[in-house]
Structures are given as C-alpha cells and as structure tokens.
Amino acid sequence: MRRVALSVALALAACTNGDARVGASNDLLIVGYDREPDTMNRYATHILEDIESCVVEGLVTNDDKMNVIPVLATEVPTVENGGVRMRADGGMDVTWKLRPGVKWHDGRPHTSADVKFTVDAINKGDWKPESTDGFDRIASVDTPDSLTAIVHYREVYAPYRLQFFRGTLPKHLLEGRDIDRANDYNRNPLGTGPYRVAEWKTGEYVLLEKVRDYWRGPEFPKINRILFRFVTNTTTRINQLKAGEVQMVALVPWDKVRELKPVPSLRLNQVLGSGYEHVTLNERHFPPFADVRVRRALAHAIDRDLVVGTILDSLVTTVNGPIQPLSWAYEPRVASYAHDPSKARSLLDDAGWKAGANGIRMKDGKPLSFTLITQAGFAIRENVAQAIQKQLRDVGVDAKVQLIDGTSISTVWFSGNFDAMLHWWQSGADPEVTLFFAGDRTPPAGRNINYFSDTALTKLLYASDRTVDQAKRKQLLSEAQVRIAELVPELVLYNTSKIDAVPATLQGFTGNPTNAGPFWNVHEWRFP
Amino acid sequence: MLRFIARRAAQSIPLLLVVSLLVFALIHAAPGGPLALYLDNPNVRPQDIERLRHAMGLDRPLAGQYTAWLWSFVRGDWGYSYADGRPVGARLLERVPATLQLIATSTVAGVVIAFIVGILAAVRTGFDRAATLGAIAGISLPVFWLGLLLQLIFANALGWLPSSGRASFTGGGVSDLAAHLILPATVLALAHAAGWSRYLRGSVRQALAMPFTRGARSRGVSERRIVLHHALRNALLPFATVVLLDASIMASGAVVTESVFAWPGVGSLFTESLARRDYTVLMAFLMCASIAVVLLNLVADVAVFALDPRTREQP
Amino acid sequence: MISSRRAPRAGAVVLVLLVVLAILAPLVAPYGMDALDLAHRRAAPSWSHWFGTDELGRDVLTRILFGARISLAIGLVSAAVSVTIGVSVGAVAGYAGGWIDDALMRVADAMLSVPRLPLLMISAAVLSPNVPLLILLVGAAGWMETARVVRAEVQSIKARDFVTAAKAIGATSTHVIARHILPVVVTTGAVATTLAVGRGILLESALSFFGVGVQPPTASWGNMLYQAQTTMSTEPWLGIFPGAFIFVTVLCCNIVGDSLAERASHL
C-alpha cells in the first residue's frame, strides 16, 4: 500500500515541481526574505527595514552611490543653500522644506505637523523606539507653515541630513496613543510610499500591493504586488530561489554565489558595501598589540589578496581604511600594507620578539600567542580566520581561533574580554567613525574596541563631528584616515560587498550599499 | 484504578518542577542574552540598552525571575519571544500542526515498516539475521546524515522531490504537501522503525513460544493465522506502549529532521530560537515537550495497568 | 540476536583499527593537521587527496583521522562517565531499596522525561563547553538506562536465596556485594559501556552538527558535517565521508554490544 502511494506521490511531485516555477512579472514579484519583521514601524523595528521602506518613505534616503537624496523633502538642507544656520548659542537650525501634494494613503496631506509630532513622540520616551540617535539633541521644532519644519538642535550635529531617514509618524493617526500598542499601525503602517500592506500572514508572508495615486505619478510603481515570503533557513531560501519558488533574494551569502551563478533566470547584482571586515586588536587585553611595529608586522603578514581571491571567490575588494570607497569622505591616498612576510619578520625582530623553539616568537619569556575570536555560523568568516591563523603562523605568531555564537559575541566584545577579533562594522551612510577610533570612546561610551588612543586622531575626529561644512569635514576626515592607516589600530581587510539575486529580466534594480536597502528605488522597478 | 492514575499523576508534578528548575538555571547561566542583539548596532546607546533591560524584566534577581516565570507558565502566560516580540504560546502553537503532520505520518509509516519487518523476522530465520543487522544499522545512523544523504540523492541529484520546506506558495494542495513530506517522514520513519521492528520481533517470538500457540497449532489452525491473529494480538499492547514511551526520542528526532529539511514545525523553531538565544521560546518548548512525554508515559502506564491487573510496578 | 560470530568479531576489529588509527593520526595522516592549501580548495577525491579537500584546501582524510581522536575520545570517556554513574546509582538503588531507591529513580525519571538532545543542545549552547566539559555533559545525560538495568539486576540477585543464606551466616553487606553482585554488575557494565560509546558518538556529532559541540577549527566528525551541510549539492564528499565514519563506528559498537548482551544473557 505504501509503495503505491509513494509512486503516485513521486509522479505528482514531478509535475508539481515544474509548476512551482512561476515567472516574475509586473503583476507579482516574490521575494524570499530571511526573517519576519517584528513590527512595520520603522522607528521601532530592530531589523532591516526593507519591507517597511516600500510603505513608509523618509524625508531623504541614500541612493546607490551613498549620496543623500531628498524624497519627501524637496532638497537636502545645507549651509550653502541656507537650509542650515548656526545659532549664536552654539546650536544649529535645520529647515526642511516638504514636497507639496504628498498624501498619506488615507488621503490626508503629509505636513510639517507630522515632522514635529515624530520628534516629540520619540523624545517623549514612553515607548520603545530602537534608536533615538540625534533626536535627543533636538530642542524643539517649529512649523511656520504646513510644508516647512524648522528643527532646532542644541549643538552642532554633523549627521543631521539623515535625521529623518526613517520618515515621519502620522500625527492624525497616532497622536495621544501608546505607539507600542498601536497594532493597526505596527502591522499595517500608514505611509506615503508606492505600496501598502495588503496582507500580513504571520509566520508566512507579507503581501504588498501598489497604491493607486502615488505622489510620483500614475506610472509609478510598475509592479502591482510584491510578496515577501519568510524563509529563515538560508539553504532553503537559496534552494527555493534556484527552483523558482521565490524570484528574488537580497543579501545572498557569498558562499552561495557559486550555486546561483549558473542559473539563467537570475542576475547577481553586486555593489560595494558600506561596511568592512577587519581584525580588531584589543590593546588593553593583549598588551603586545600596543606596539605599532607589532601591528604593522601583522598587517604585512596577512595575504589579503590570496584570501579574497580564494575563500571569497573575488566577490569583495580589499580596502585600507574604515571609510569605504563609495563615501564622499573616502581618502584613497593612505598607507597600504602589502603581503610581505620578510618585512613582517624584521618588524617583529625590531620589536623584540625573537623566534622561539617551536617557531613561536618570544619576548621576556612570553610567547606571541593570542586568541582570535569570530562569530560562529558564518562559514566564510570561519575560513578566513583559519587562513589568517596560518599566515600569522608563518611569521611566528600564534593565533588560536575560537568561534563564539552570535549572541554571546556581542557581550564579549562589548566588555572588552578578548584579544583579537575577526569582525565587521556595518556603517551608516554618514562617514562618522569617531565612536570607533576616538580615545575616549571605548565601551560603553562607544565602540573603540581596539582600546586605542591617539591624541591627534581623537582631535581630528571630534573636529570633523562638529562641522557641517562638507568640504571642511572631508579635509579633516582625510587626515584622520591617513593617520588611521599609519597607526594600524586594527587590520583592515576588505569591503563587504552586497550581492542580491534578482530576476534577470528585472529592470531598474541597482542594489544599495547602505541600510537604505535594495528596495530604495522599488518604484522604478519593472519587467519589460 | 483512578487511585492509580491519581498517584502516578501526582508523581509527575515534582518531576516537572525539577525539570523547570533545571531549564531555568541552565539558560540564565549564560553570557550573552537577548540584549546582545542590540549591542552590535552602533546607534544604540548605553541608556537605550538599560531601558530595554528594564522593559524585558532582566534586572530583577534570579529567584524572583524564576518564581515569576513559573507562576506565569502555569497560568498559560509564556512570555514574549525576543525574536519578534510575539507571545511564545502563539509562536509554538502555529508550528504545532506541521509537526503533528510530520510525526503522525512518520509514526504510521514507521509502524507499518516495523510490522512487516518484525513479523517476517519472527517467523523466518534467514530474514531474521538480515533484519537484525538492518535494525542495528538503523539505530546507528546519525539521523541528520541520513537526511542530508536523502536530500543529496532525491532532491539535488535526481530532482524528484523538493529538498526542504513544507509547501511551495504557488503550488499548494495535497500532492505538493506530500512531495515535501516524503523525505523528512522517511527519515524519521526509518529511524524509529529500526528499534520498533526489533521489539515487535522479540514480542511475537515470545508469544509464539507460549502454550496457547501450541494449543492452536494442535487444533489445526494455520500458521499464518496463528501469527497474525493470536501472537500479534498479544504483542500489540506492549508494542503500543513502546511507541508511546518513545515519545522523548521522537521529540529529539523531530528537532533534527525538521531542521535539516526546514520543515516549519516546533522542532525547527527550537533550533532557530537556539541560534538567537531566544530564551522564552526555548524554555517553553522544553517544558511542553517534557509535559507531553510525561503524559504519554502516564497513558502507557495506565494502559498496561488497566488491561492487565496482574502487572505491577517493580517495588 | 547475532548468533553468528563473524559480525561481532568484524565489528570489534574495525573498532580497534579505528582507535589505533586515531592514536597514530599524526604519523599516519598524509598531510599536517592544519595544512591549508588555498589554491586547491574543494577538490574532488583524487589520488593525492583520497577523500578530497575542503573549503580551505585541507585534506579531508587527514581531518577525519584527527577528528577520530576527538570523536572517539568523547565517545569512550563519556561512556565511562555514564556507566560509572549509572552502575553506582543503580547498584545503590537496587541494594538499598526504600526511599533512597525512590528518590534516585525519580531523578532518573525526571531526566528521562526531558527530550535528551534538546536538553543537551541548550546546555551546550549556554555553557559553550570545551571538550572535557562536553564529555561530562554527554556522560551526565546517559546514565539513566544503565542505572535502571543494574538496579533490576541487583534487586533480583538480592532476592535470591543464596544471598539470604550468606547473610544468615553473618556475611557482611560488603562481602555480599563484592562476591555476588559485583561480577554480574561488571558484565552488565561492559555491555552498557559498549552501547554508550555509540550513543556518545551520536550525541556529540549531533551537537557539533548544530554548532554547539566541538568548535572549529578543531575537527570532529560531527562538526565536519556542520561545515559540509551548506555545500552538499556542490561538494558532497565533504559530508558523505565524515558521516560514513560516524555510522560505521556506531554500527560496530552496537553489533559488539549486542552480541555481548546476548552472551551475557546466557550466563
């Protein structure tokens, strides 16, 4: 009996598998998404906002070149265009001009009152927004007319452009309510974007449908419906992509690219990321790292090109500093440490680390031996750690690799309880790196987990934070990047490219290096 | 009889209390914790973290947390998942149907295999040796390896079956579900059938050696009827209790199989929550699984006792 | 019931062979334990690499041999731990009887009620154990079966006439235990140990497969499968061989243990 059932099922399966592959079209695009959102409220969610950003737009966003571009604002306020004014008391005023004719999906107009409401709601602090950065520096907001909002900052705040990256909360809907419990908004947010939530089937999918009168015009968006299927298991998600059960997957893990390259219906879109991988060198926990010669030696010992060419299948690019090539503040003319084992050895000799009996260098009876931790569960990172271990061994440095699970590792590095860590920082679009390299920004005040302090660098970084003059800021940041590369507080490895798999016929898709995500221009996507 | 049930049920309570203490102590001994998710985000400041810590109730003393948790658990309030903020009970409940599907199918399949193999092994010595070797092989197989192999052969190489998940969105329907169910159910069925077939074989042989079978033979009843009717009937009840008593092993097997095949049941919820240290979900899972095991064991004990009053527990 | 002698003998031989290979791994392995060869990653099995190479160009056969040291060590020592605890608890419970027996059996029941693998997975995730602690965890999770069997045996012996007779002529409890109970218990213990080795290896490999057991870069058969699971479709040999070794080892343990049990029951 069972045998009969089995053969029938197999026969049916053969048919079913073929039917599962449905081509993507302007009617429906199926996205395999790696997790279910906790909430659609952009200010409260603690995961990426891809789905939300299709519904709720910001005053600005980041394009694929990491430029800040206006969306619901008409222009990005700057000192030059008069949108930013310094006050005598040391504060600054930023004037946001809103785009006329933009309506919430319920027909009410989007006005400056919504901007003011958003600031007040976040600063009131009686709900749980994920991050309130910058809002606490706002003293008040004036709304002289329905399309103008003047934001009064108590002090100069350099990343002001991205203050309303997440958009606004609708005052007429949320005023006076407990926002955490406003499930109508958190499940089906009121926005101004090209899509609205048609259905959210918990545990399975969110279905977005196009909005009739989107402010950009009737020809946008082109795609009628987007379905986000939640598939947490990466292998399953990629398998479904290959089988055509989902048509698009954002942020494909690098080790899956090989499998997807030969699939004719897919295109792999690669952009430089706004993050980078590096080896953190914790000077406080492992004092030998405090010697710059040791740090430079380690940098020379690692063959980044080999690692990138083999383990990473050339999917990423080596970089030499924390600010990435796409940023407007990027400085390419910095010191670069080529793979040079003999230079590494001579530097270590100079620093007093002589070759020991078993090949490990010793100084004052202590071996140059430390633990290199990294997050478990990322096959490529585990492999990179082991490759680095071998390359360091070749110059007499003993690095023991230890994998730590994703949840514990944050506590470990936040408490500074490690020697070295293979890690990555995902930066926002603003090139502020003060919290990573200023001498007084070790945890909990910041993320300087190298416990590195250089007076000149710290001064440069803080000065760059306190100016909104882009040219001046760039100059200060350039000097900072030069200094960082010279002093090698950490071993910078490569930029973390973002690779998205999209249908080969999809037009208008560009990908996005920042947290704006690949859906930043979803209204422009179309199939021929 | 009722006294027996009441007594056995009462014995289960301290059992479960010890289990809950064990689980709670274990989980809270760890570094990391639900707040760790936020530490990686440079935009989250120390004040934000403190605020979240308080909101999640993590700043109370441990003993207080335990009693609060236990009391809520008993009342049905299992807290909220740290992964998505939804009630734990809801998260578990929505995954139960998928697990039930898998367990039901694999148990039925496993029982059928066990029957066929077990009975044949009991009556034919030639088959017996092979079957025993096969059964031992079955319990020696790492379940996840078997799953990976079957995926490799039937999904990747031959492409006959989908490799994971429960259903295609655009597919749907019974045949699609069946296609997704075959591989994981087969893995579980084989894993259990190995032990069960051996047990059934032993049971049937024992029954066949008893006086009543000789009596039946001398009355001219056919061998086949003897085996299928008389011997089997005697062996059925102990077999059923063995299946019930295997509940704990089935839970472990479900966790592994669901994870390998990304079958969206409570087992894969367990491994997902484990990766994110979603404590509330993990604790609720362990408690529910233990309660289920205890209940099924209770049922098995009662069945044995009720149907044969001569059976007594070992003193 | 394996009435033929060939299977258990073959099983025992294979086990001994594996243990010897594991001990001699540094001498026998064709490549060094950490030898990376980034230029020849993911190579299919060939004459220079019998089992192929992995993501970092490491020889899979070498890793299996060194992994054998870890996996077998965990299996053997955890089995010793399980059986020691189990025999002690079972003997005490069976001999003492009364409330001690009740209490001990309740503890055993409690531990048997919790699904073993999930409990171990959570424990391992929480404690991030190194190999010795992992051995203790796995060992501490497997004493209950042995305890029950030993307890039953001790009870049945205790009830036998010759024990009552021995006591009547004044033999002390210690004497009774040493002369009559211990020998039987030792046999049971031997069977239990063999089976526990197989169980221990399966548990460690399951824990490592889910990333909470032996951590890379140390190789164990289980964590080689953990690293192989994402590449099964493109490099199947990375998953087939380690799993095969687990299977064969546990199979041999079970065959040998089974035949030992057979022979013990005939004593």
Side-chain angles (χ1 to χ4, degrees):
Chain A
M1 172 192 65
R2 209 174 144 270
R3 241 178 285 150
V4 172
L6 188 63
S7 50
V8 167
L10 280 177
L12 286 171
C15 311
T16 321
N17 251 1
D19 290 344
R21 187 190 301 266
V22 164
S25 66
N26 283 327
D27 180 56
L28 174 66
L29 172 66
I30 306 179
V31 180
Y33 203 62
D34 71 336
R35 62 191 80 184
E36 182 167 17
D38 46 351
T39 164
M40 292 280 284
N41 182 330
R42 286 189 75 168
Y43 282 100
T45 182
H46 61 254
I47 65 167
L48 293 176
E49 303 154 32
D50 294 313
I51 308 181
E52 293 86 333
S53 61
C54 299
V55 178
V56 177
E57 294 170 310
L59 293 193
V60 301
T61 189
N62 291 113
D63 69 3
D64 54 333
K65 301 284 183 293
M66 279 175 70
N67 298 321
V68 179
I69 57 170
V71 179
L72 292 183
T74 54
E75 59 177 8
V76 178
T78 63
V79 172
E80 288 79 22
N81 64 16
V84 175
R85 260 205 312 255
M86 298 302 167
R87 295 199 309 265
D89 63 359
M92 69 187 215
D93 298 332
V94 178
T95 305
W96 290 94
K97 300 214 195 75
L98 299 181
R99 194 178 296 274
V102 175
K103 294 203 183 43
W104 296 100
H105 292 154
D106 62 0
R108 303 277 287 270
H110 176 258
T111 67
S112 56
D114 297 310
V115 176
K116 180 172 165 65
F117 171 70
T118 306
V119 174
D120 292 338
I122 290 178
N123 280 339
K124 210 150 80 150
D126 57 357
W127 53 298
K128 291 198 294 239
E130 139 89 340
S131 101
T132 52
D133 213 53
F135 282 94
D136 57 344
R137 287 172 234 218
I138 301 178
S140 64
V141 179
D142 288 330
T143 53
D145 62 62
S146 68
L147 291 179
T148 310
I150 307 182
V151 180
H152 303 290
Y153 285 89
R154 286 194 198 89
E155 57 194 46
V156 174
Y157 182 61
Y160 71 89
R161 282 185 187 81
L162 293 170
Q163 188 71 64
F164 297 101
F165 170 79
R166 296 189 165 84
T168 52
L169 299 168
K171 173 176 177 177
H172 63 279
L173 185 67
L174 292 175
E175 184 165 36
R177 296 177 57 184
D178 181 353
I179 298 183
D180 276 333
R181 299 264 178 273
N183 279 333
D184 53 334
Y185 180 77
N186 293 328
R187 298 282 296 187
N188 190 342
L190 187 62
T192 61
Y195 293 92
R196 69 155 68 92
V197 175
E199 187 193 350
W200 179 348
K201 187 155 180 214
T202 309
E204 293 202 28
Y205 60 81
V206 168
L207 177 62
L208 300 183
E209 67 183 6
K210 107 180 202 175
V211 155
R212 286 288 144 228
D213 36 17
Y214 180 46
W215 60 266
R216 286 191 205 260
E219 67 275 22
F220 297 111
K222 294 277 192 304
I223 300 178
N224 291 337
R225 296 178 302 161
I226 306 185
L227 177 76
F228 289 86
R229 288 198 65 196
F230 310 132
V231 190
T232 28
N233 183 294
T234 308
T235 314
T236 313
R237 197 161 68 247
I238 302 296
N239 285 339
Q240 290 188 343
L241 184 64
K242 290 200 294 196
E245 296 178 40
V246 301
Q247 298 146 358
M248 170 180 161
V249 168
L251 292 181
V252 173
W254 301 324
D255 51 355
K256 294 291 182 198
V257 169
R258 257 186 320 141
E259 283 177 55
L260 294 174
K261 270 217 181 105
V263 179
S265 57
L266 292 176
R267 179 170 73 88
L268 292 167
N269 189 75
Q270 182 175 344
V271 291
L272 281 175
S274 61
Y276 69 106
E277 289 211 9
H278 56 275
V279 178
T280 312
L281 300 173
N282 186 339
E283 301 182 9
R284 191 181 73 168
H285 206 255
F286 190 69
F289 287 149
D291 184 339
V292 68
R293 289 170 298 188
V294 171
R295 300 199 300 270
R296 289 195 181 126
L298 295 178
H300 280 299
I302 298 181
D303 188 349
R304 294 181 296 167
D305 290 326
L306 180 65
V307 168
V308 166
T310 53
I311 299 177
L312 289 146
D313 288 329
S314 300
L315 290 172
V316 299
T317 339
T318 51
V319 289
N320 295 310
I323 295 182
Q324 300 307 300
L326 281 178
S327 170
W328 55 265
Y330 175 62
E331 174 57 70
R333 291 157 304 182
V334 300
S336 168
Y337 296 84
H339 174 60
D340 193 341
S342 50
K343 184 104 191 278
R345 288 190 196 102
S346 74
L347 276 168
L348 286 170
D349 285 332
D350 287 345
W353 292 94
K354 304 289 179 205
N358 55 355
I360 307 298
R361 291 174 180 269
M362 310 268 288
K363 182 176 172 183
D364 301 330
K366 289 222 184 87
L368 191 51
S369 170
F370 59 88
T371 310
L372 173 67
I373 65 173
T374 192
Q375 187 170 338
F378 285 80
I380 290 202
R381 207 159 275 133
E382 294 174 17
N383 291 338
V384 171
Q386 289 168 75
I388 290 179
Q389 178 187 42
K390 174 187 186 287
Q391 290 169 354
L392 291 181
R393 206 48 161 70
D394 288 343
V395 301
V397 179
D398 176 37
K400 300 188 202 352
V401 175
Q402 191 189 357
L403 299 183
I404 302 193
D405 73 86
T407 320
S408 308
I409 200 173
S410 305
T411 318
V412 168
W413 64 251
F414 197 69
S415 61
N417 254 332
F418 67 97
D419 296 329
M421 176 167 64
L422 175 63
H423 192 53
W424 75 104
W425 290 129
Q426 173 69 52
S427 330
D430 188 270
E432 187 219 317
V433 290
T434 316
L435 85 161
F436 300 115
F437 295 103
D440 59 340
R441 298 296 284 273
T442 56
R447 300 280 191 276
N448 180 354
I449 52 181
N450 297 307
Y451 291 87
F452 167 81
S453 182
D454 177 69
T455 328
L457 179 62
T458 307
K459 267 188 28 203
L460 280 169
L461 291 171
Y462 276 116
S464 77
D465 272 354
R466 293 199 185 102
T467 170
V468 291
D469 177 337
Q470 191 129 336
K472 181 128 189 293
R473 204 168 166 218
K474 177 159 174 48
Q475 192 212 334
L476 289 166
L477 284 173
S478 287
E479 288 177 40
Q481 289 172 76
V482 169
R483 190 114 179 106
I484 290 175
E486 199 186 305
L487 294 175
V488 196
E490 59 189 19
L491 307 173
V492 177
L493 297 174
Y494 45 83
N495 172 284
T496 45
S497 318
K498 297 200 181 176
I499 304 184
D500 305 307
V502 300
T505 48
L506 180 62
Q507 292 167 352
F509 182 89
T510 62
N512 191 303
T514 71
N515 283 351
F519 291 87
W520 72 280
N521 66 345
V522 67
H523 61 278
E524 289 176 351
W525 300 359
R526 63 203 170 283
F527 292 93
Chain B
M1 162 79 155
L2 265 155
R3 240 184 337 158
F4 176 77
I5 299 182
R7 194 157 58 97
R8 288 288 283 115
Q11 283 172 345
S12 315
I13 314 258
L15 218 66
L16 291 170
L17 275 175
V18 170
V19 168
S20 74
L21 252 165
L22 181 71
V23 170
F24 182 86
L26 208 54
I27 284 178
H28 283 257
L35 288 180
L37 282 170
Y38 292 95
L39 289 178
D40 247 338
N41 186 333
N43 290 326
V44 178
R45 297 158 313 163
Q47 305 96 293
D48 294 328
I49 294 180
E50 277 314 303
R51 192 161 38 86
L52 288 162
R53 182 192 303 278
H54 186 73
M56 287 181 181
L58 295 175
D59 51 357
R60 281 184 295 176
L62 219 53
Q65 283 186 51
Y66 171 70
T67 33
W69 169 75
L70 192 61
W71 179 230
S72 319
F73 188 90
V74 164
R75 276 181 311 156
D77 169 16
W78 296 349
Y80 294 85
S81 158
Y82 292 136
D84 63 4
R86 286 172 48 227
V88 169
R91 288 204 79 197
L92 281 173
L93 211 60
E94 71 194 2
R95 303 265 223 164
V96 163
T99 300
L100 283 180
Q101 265 177 352
L102 181 61
I103 294 207
T105 319
S106 59
T107 306
V108 165
V111 165
V112 168
I113 299 178
F115 262 66
I116 300 176
V117 172
I119 294 178
L120 278 176
V123 297
R124 277 177 231 271
T125 18
F127 186 80
D128 189 16
R129 282 228 199 101
T132 312
L133 210 53
I136 297 189
I139 57 179
S140 311
L141 267 176
V143 174
F144 50 91
W145 187 60
L146 178 62
L148 287 178
L149 283 182
L150 289 185
Q151 262 180 341
L152 184 65
I153 298 174
F154 291 100
N156 295 331
L158 294 171
W160 288 354
L161 295 166
S163 66
S164 47
R166 184 184 181 195
S168 335
F169 175 73
T170 44
V174 177
S175 63
D176 182 56
L177 179 66
H180 282 89
L181 189 51
I182 289 180
L183 285 181
T186 307
V187 169
L188 269 182
L190 287 176
H192 294 129
W196 292 343
S197 66
R198 286 240 287 173
Y199 183 82
L200 196 62
R201 169 215 173 266
S203 224
V204 168
R205 278 184 69 114
Q206 239 185 4
L208 282 177
M210 287 206 179
F212 73 86
T213 31
R214 271 184 303 189
R217 268 194 208 110
S218 63
R219 285 201 315 271
V221 182
S222 79
E223 195 64 25
R224 188 175 192 183
R225 210 181 138 75
I226 291 178
V227 169
L228 290 181
H229 270 88
H230 300 280
L232 204 52
R233 251 217 310 239
N234 275 53
L236 266 175
L237 178 65
F239 179 72
T241 52
V242 162
V243 171
L244 281 175
L245 291 172
D246 261 355
S248 171
I249 303 180
M250 281 207 243
S252 300
V255 166
V256 173
T257 312
E258 284 188 17
S259 305
V260 170
F261 288 96
W263 184 262
V266 291
S268 53
L269 177 62
F270 176 82
T271 32
E272 284 162 28
S273 306
L274 189 72
R276 314 163 113 157
R277 303 301 186 269
D278 199 349
Y279 296 159
T280 39
V281 174
L282 291 175
M283 288 164 73
F285 173 92
L286 219 56
M287 288 303 298
C288 291
S290 307
I291 293 175
V293 168
V294 168
L295 278 176
L296 288 171
N297 285 5
L298 183 60
V299 167
D301 279 352
V302 166
V304 166
F305 178 81
L307 292 156
D308 186 357
R310 289 171 301 163
T311 311
R312 285 279 177 266
E313 296 177 326
Q314 286 292 322
Chain C
M1 178 204 69
I2 314 272
S3 36
S4 101
R5 290 299 185 85
R6 277 181 314 174
R9 230 181 260 163
V13 165
V14 169
L15 280 175
V16 168
L17 187 62
L18 280 169
V19 171
V20 165
L21 281 177
I23 296 177
L24 295 179
L27 300 169
V28 175
Y31 294 82
M33 177 170 73
D34 286 323
L36 301 186
D37 185 4
L38 288 178
H40 296 106
R41 315 158 56 211
R42 306 185 197 124
S46 66
W47 283 121
S48 53
H49 294 281
W50 290 4
F51 290 166
T53 63
D54 69 0
E55 287 290 305
L56 286 169
R58 292 178 297 206
D59 178 49
V60 174
L61 174 57
T62 304
R63 297 205 90 215
I64 287 187
L65 286 173
F66 279 96
R69 306 182 115 193
I70 303 283
S71 298
L72 287 174
I74 295 182
L76 287 163
V77 182
S78 72
V81 170
S82 290
V83 172
T84 308
I85 303 179
V87 165
S88 318
V89 170
V92 166
Y95 195 74
W99 67 269
I100 300 182
D101 179 23
D102 267 339
L104 287 173
M105 284 303 108
R106 288 301 145 251
V107 173
D109 282 343
M111 288 203 57
L112 281 170
S113 302
V114 182
R116 183 156 25 197
L117 189 58
L119 177 63
L120 271 177
M121 282 166 77
I122 296 183
S123 312
V126 158
L127 299 171
S128 294
N130 51 13
V131 174
L133 189 53
L134 194 59
I135 291 179
L136 249 109
L137 272 180
V138 173
W143 60 269
M144 296 83 70
E145 295 90 340
T146 312
R148 278 204 176 157
V149 170
V150 168
R151 170 182 174 272
E153 291 213 344
V154 167
Q155 281 174 342
S156 82
I157 295 173
K158 185 175 146 194
R160 284 207 215 137
D161 292 334
F162 70 84
V163 171
T164 336
K167 282 190 148 166
I169 60 170
T172 62
S173 288
T174 336
H175 174 86
V176 171
I177 292 175
R179 282 293 309 278
H180 304 289
I181 297 188
L182 222 45
V184 177
V185 158
V186 162
T187 326
T188 316
V191 174
T193 309
T194 323
L195 296 175
V197 171
R199 222 177 24 234
I201 293 182
L202 279 179
L203 278 174
E204 176 270 319
S205 62
L207 290 175
S208 302
F209 177 74
F210 285 104
V212 290
V214 178
Q215 296 294 314
T218 312
S220 85
W221 291 340
N223 78 12
M224 287 175 77
L225 277 167
Y226 158 73
Q227 296 186 303
Q229 59 180 311
T230 49
T231 50
M232 277 304 267
S233 52
T234 39
E235 284 93 31
W237 58 89
L238 295 179
I240 294 180
F241 293 115
F245 271 78
I246 299 175
F247 173 50
V248 166
T249 310
V250 177
L251 181 65
C252 293
C253 288
N254 284 335
I255 291 179
V256 170
D258 204 65
S259 93
L260 277 182
E262 253 298 297
R263 299 211 276 155
S265 73
H266 288 157
L267 284 175

